[in-house]
């Protein structure tokens, strides 16, 4: 077992940290307040090779390994979950999904455009009546001559406002349940592809774009099918196996940011004639945060390491997502508390971490869903 990062991994970690601290951090508070995604960062991430990190070089990617990709997501997550969330949807759920399931023609057409940020990708699985139970989706696809015609609704689609390309999941035959589902590559300017922002104000990820999509007789060519007909559910699940790794790494970043903020604040803040950091009760909280953080980090790196070796990673990824997001939730809650009333205002960033982390426990499969996946691998299914 080797716990040391390779020189290449250390280089990506450093580059990602510098980008996050120097180019993302100065924009984060305003983006969060205004609820607007800092779009110029997308091109920059393309230039730096981040947008298509693990995509192979022949398709315009940087060809980085999954450990490097986890380091990248961790560094972005430490500073801004909306930016990290953009990347995991664009790269893990869209580009890598096309790399795994696409034809050579699809890969050569879409991946270089997604790698530079010329095109932005979104992943349209969730529906009003199909959230955790994704196989029950109601969007339909019917064959008509040389086309498929899509009808239905999708909600909470991240990157949806700016996206040029959506991977849309729809059923050719709902009586077949998951075996009837197909994945389609849909250009968002296709007639019948309509989008509007989700109603209401969100708790966190305020800068992220979340849209409601209506597909109304939306016609796509036969060549838009991604994977074979009926493979759509597996396309969706395998994409989420990768997406959840990025989310888990983002949670490690949030927990690290909380710990850093608490160490700095409790060393400087004095009450009862001593530093907060000198109270044993405070030290116990800092120690718990540090222990949980290191455990989360090791779980994430282990899942990434296993992906790099082509090992099965569904369970390892769900364990990493479950543990890391729950640990970061505790860390963020404690961080707000240790900062007292300052932690409750956006004078300090911990309140944003606290609002954002709740989203990581929900999207790409809630903590309950991760427990179902982990338990099924332990006990199988009786049906
Ligand atoms: N990889 C490949 N195939 C998989 C798989 C995986 N990780 N998981 C399951 N499958 C396959 C199974 O092997 C099975 O195949 P066969 O029919 O050949 O046996 C098939 O898929 C059906 O599997 P299940 O019976 O396990 O399916 P299920 O209906 O019981 O659901 C579930 C399983 C894990 C609960 C799944 O529904 C799930 O992950 N739900 C959560 C959905 C989710 O995460 N949504 C988030 C959407 S994206 C988002 O949040 C934000 C955004 O903007 C992107």
């Amino acid at each position: 077992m080797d716990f040391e990062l390779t020189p290449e991994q250390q280089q990506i970690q450093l580059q990602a940290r510098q980008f996050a601290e120097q180019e993302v951090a100065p924009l984060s508070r305003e983006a969060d307040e205004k609820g607007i995604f800092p779009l110029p960062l997308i091109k920059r991430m393309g230039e730096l090779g981040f947008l298509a990190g693990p995509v192979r070089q022949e398709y315009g990617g940087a060809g980085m390994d999954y450990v490097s990709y986890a380091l990248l997501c961790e560094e972005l997550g430490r500073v801004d979950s909306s930016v990290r969330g953009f990347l995991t949807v664009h790269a893990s759920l869209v580009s890598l999904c096309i790399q795994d399931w696409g034809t050579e023609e699809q890969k050569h057409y879409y991946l270089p455009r997604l790698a530079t940020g010329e095109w932005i990708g979104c992943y349209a699985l969730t529906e009003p009546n199909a959230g955790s139970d994704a196989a029950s989706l109601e969007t339909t696809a019917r064959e008509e001559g040389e086309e498929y015609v899509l009808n239905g609704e999708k909600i909470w689609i991240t990157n949806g406002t700016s996206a040029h390309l959506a991977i849309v999941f729809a059923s050719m035959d709902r009586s077949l349940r998951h075996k009837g589902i197909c994945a389609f590559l849909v250009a968002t300017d296709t007639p019948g592809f309509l989008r509007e922002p989700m109603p209401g104000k969100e708790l966190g990820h305020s800068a992220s774009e979340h849209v409601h999509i209506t597909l109304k007789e939306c016609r796509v060519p036969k060549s838009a099918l991604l994977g074979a007909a009926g493979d759509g559910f597996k396309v969706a699940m395998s994409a989420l196996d990768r997406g959840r790794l990025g989310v888990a790494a983002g949670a490690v970043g949030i927990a690290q940011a909380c710990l850093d903020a608490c160490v700095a604040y409790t060393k400087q803040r004095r009450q009862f004639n001593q530093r907060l950091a000198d109270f044993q009760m405070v030290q116990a909280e800092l120690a718990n945060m540090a222990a949980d953080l290191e455990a989360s980090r090791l779980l994430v790196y282990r899942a990434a390491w296993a992906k790099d070796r082509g090992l099965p990673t569904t369970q390892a990824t769900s364990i990493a997502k479950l543990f890391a997001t729950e640990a970061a939730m505790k860390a963020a809650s404690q961080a707000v508390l240790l900062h007292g009333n300052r932690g409750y205002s956006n004078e300090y960033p911990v309140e944003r971490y606290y609002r954002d982390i709740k989203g990581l426990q929900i999207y790409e499969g809630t903590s309950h869903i991760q427990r179902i996946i982990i338990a099924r691998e332990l006990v199988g299914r009786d049906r």
Side-chain angles (χ1 to χ4, degrees), residues 139-144 147-153 166 168 170 184-194 213-222 224:
T139 295
T140 58
R142 66 170 199 275
E143 259 180 294
E144 240 181 58
E147 293 176 327
Y148 292 106
V149 188
L150 309 178
N151 280 287
E153 267 182 273
V168 174
F184 298 95
L185 293 163
V186 183
T188 56
D189 60 2
T190 308
F193 186 102
L194 314 163
I213 294 171
T214 307
L215 298 154
K216 218 172 178 178
E217 291 290 287
C218 180
R219 289 174 178 274
V220 294
K222 282 274 170 70

Side-chain angles (χ1 to χ4, degrees), residues 108-348:
H108 282 290
Y109 183 73
Y110 292 110
L111 294 178
R113 289 173 168 80
L114 291 163
T116 56
E118 179 193 344
W119 278 37
I120 293 169
C122 69
Y123 174 90
L125 177 68
T126 304
E127 300 184 357
N129 295 318
S132 290
D133 183 8
S136 292
L137 59 82
E138 295 170 348
T139 295
T140 58
R142 66 170 199 275
E143 259 180 294
E144 240 181 58
E146 284 313 296
E147 293 176 327
Y148 292 106
V149 188
L150 309 178
N151 280 287
E153 267 182 273
K154 299 287 176 183
I155 56 170
W156 286 111
I157 307 307
T158 308
N159 301 352
T161 316
S162 303
H164 305 82
L165 174 70
I167 300 186
V168 174
F169 296 90
S171 179
M172 297 273 284
D173 182 349
R174 293 201 53 222
S175 69
L176 297 177
R177 215 178 126 77
H178 71 270
K179 290 192 164 72
I181 297 175
C182 304
F184 298 95
L185 293 163
V186 183
T188 56
D189 60 2
T190 308
F193 186 102
L194 314 163
R195 50 188 161 175
E196 55 189 345
M198 288 299 294
K201 178 157 167 46
E202 289 143 37
L203 176 68
H205 288 77
S206 304
S208 295
E209 299 175 350
H210 293 130
V211 303
H212 176 283
I213 294 171
T214 307
L215 298 154
K216 218 172 178 178
E217 291 290 287
C218 180
R219 289 174 178 274
V220 294
K222 282 274 170 70
S223 59
L225 188 67
L226 178 65
D231 271 352
F233 194 70
K234 288 182 184 168
V235 174
M237 291 299 115
S238 63
L240 286 167
D241 276 349
R242 280 185 302 269
R244 288 167 184 159
L245 177 74
V247 177
V252 172
I254 293 182
Q256 182 69 62
C258 290
L259 181 62
D260 292 346
C262 288
V263 168
Y265 185 73
T266 59
K267 278 166 70 179
Q268 155 258 305
R269 173 80 172 158
R270 297 184 75 82
Q271 290 289 277
F272 305 101
N273 288 325
Q274 63 175 7
R275 304 181 313 168
L276 291 192
D278 293 323
F279 289 98
Q280 277 193 353
M281 228 185 315
V282 171
Q283 289 177 358
E285 293 304 345
L286 297 178
N288 286 342
M289 243 188 247
D292 276 356
L293 168 62
E294 283 312 316
S296 305
R297 181 171 279 135
L298 290 175
L299 287 171
V300 170
Y301 292 1
R302 184 189 65 143
W305 173 90
K307 271 192 205 310
D308 283 328
R309 274 148 194 80
L311 301 170
T313 54
T314 299
Q315 191 194 39
T317 307
S318 285
I319 289 176
K321 182 182 187 276
L322 174 66
F323 192 89
T325 56
E326 303 266 313
M329 184 73 237
K330 276 191 267 172
S333 172
Q334 212 32 256
V336 171
L337 195 57
L338 286 178
H339 281 71
N341 56 18
R342 290 179 173 85
Y344 200 61
S345 103
N346 75 351
E347 185 191 351
Y348 284 76

